Amino acid sequence: MTSPLTKSALPKAVVAVLAVALCGCSSKSTPAPMPDPSSSGKGQAASQVCGALLNGEPASALERLTGSQHFTESSLTLGEKVSSLSEAKRHLLGDTSFERRGKEFDLCLPVAADKLTGGQLTISTQWIKVGTKDRAWKSTDDWTVYDLTGDGAEGTSAPYASAASDTSHLDFRCPVGPGRAKNTAISVAIATRKLDAHHDARAPEDLTRIGYGAAVKLAQQMNCFQESRLPASLGDLKKLT
């Protein structure tokens, strides 16, 4: 009788074929590379987030502030989220019963999506009543006040922008609906969370540029851009001292 062949007696080529068949793999195959989350393109560009609310320099300011080039939109909101500028206009025109501040509407909640970046913004708007002593026209160590008109204009009818390292306010006149009342303005405010390492000395300027971008789009939607006295572009921001 012929004795059964042992593994050592099999030709080496046959052993290799059997090994491949048993493990279901190939010695020539290589694992597929894992995608890099920082370059995966998750989310939207700064100029596209929130229905393209920000573009140009305001979008660049959002990227500088967070260190991210891609953004998602948070679903967490403390105010009432509006899905578009036309919806914001409708809500603002319908908000007629307030004393000092109207109802707050969230225009945009961008969240930095790229790896090793951080930051979430809440860009909101509301009507406000402006008193003669409500605004400081000089910068301090904690707050920077910017000259938006370029001519040093002060008063309740002038646009007003002030910012700290983690928040900003930009107010402008809009004489439509509730805005026809004396000393009433629209305020665009920005609150931030978790800005991480990109939260630096330039943050007040970046926040002001972001707020300006949203304010211009809103003023245009409300048909009061000319009356708002907002500049067509910011250029170099001048601090009021």
Side-chain angles (χ1 to χ4, degrees), residues 13-99:
V14 176
V15 173
V17 170
L18 289 175
V20 169
L22 290 173
C23 73
C25 58
S26 171
S27 60
K28 294 183 180 180
S29 64
T30 57
M34 294 297 290
D36 181 359
S38 65
S39 60
S40 62
K42 177 182 178 182
Q44 297 177 302
S47 60
Q48 297 173 333
V49 74
C50 301
L53 180 66
L54 309 171
N55 52 37
E57 180 57 27
S60 298
L62 179 60
E63 293 175 348
R64 278 196 306 270
L65 184 71
T66 61
S68 182
Q69 293 185 333
H70 300 95
F71 300 85
T72 58
E73 293 186 52
S74 174
S75 59
L76 300 176
T77 174
L78 296 178
E80 181 176 340
K81 180 69 171 69
V82 292
S83 59
S84 64
L85 287 172
S86 60
E87 185 180 354
K89 176 182 179 179
R90 185 170 65 253
H91 282 298
L92 285 168
L93 291 178
D95 186 23
T96 58
S97 300
F98 60 90
E99 294 183 4

Side-chain angles (χ1 to χ4, degrees), residues 53 82 84-90 92 105 107 123-127 170 172 174 176 186-189 211-225 228 230:
L53 180 66
V82 292
S84 64
L85 287 172
S86 60
E87 185 180 354
K89 176 182 179 179
R90 185 170 65 253
L92 285 168
F105 304 104
L107 299 172
I123 307 174
S124 61
T125 187
Q126 63 185 155
W127 293 108
L170 194 155
F172 62 92
C174 187
V176 298
I186 288 179
S187 179
V188 173
Y212 162 80
V216 167
K217 290 285 185 71
L218 183 58
Q220 291 171 338
Q221 184 69 40
M222 299 287 289
N223 298 317
C224 64
F225 179 71
S228 73
L230 290 168

Side-chain angles (χ1 to χ4, degrees), residues 69-154:
Q69 293 185 333
H70 300 95
F71 300 85
T72 58
E73 293 186 52
S74 174
S75 59
L76 300 176
T77 174
L78 296 178
E80 181 176 340
K81 180 69 171 69
V82 292
S83 59
S84 64
L85 287 172
S86 60
E87 185 180 354
K89 176 182 179 179
R90 185 170 65 253
H91 282 298
L92 285 168
L93 291 178
D95 186 23
T96 58
S97 300
F98 60 90
E99 294 183 4
R100 294 288 296 168
R101 290 183 172 272
K103 192 171 183 179
E104 192 171 14
F105 304 104
D106 290 339
L107 299 172
C108 185
L109 296 96
V111 182
D114 287 347
K115 186 179 179 182
L116 301 181
T117 66
Q120 175 179 333
L121 279 68
T122 299
I123 307 174
S124 61
T125 187
Q126 63 185 155
W127 293 108
I128 61 169
K129 295 285 189 180
V130 183
T132 55
K133 296 182 179 181
D134 289 344
R135 292 172 170 175
W137 292 95
K138 291 184 179 181
S139 300
T140 67
D141 291 340
D142 299 322
W143 282 87
T144 303
V145 182
Y146 294 102
D147 179 12
L148 290 184
T149 61
D151 57 9
E154 300 180 8

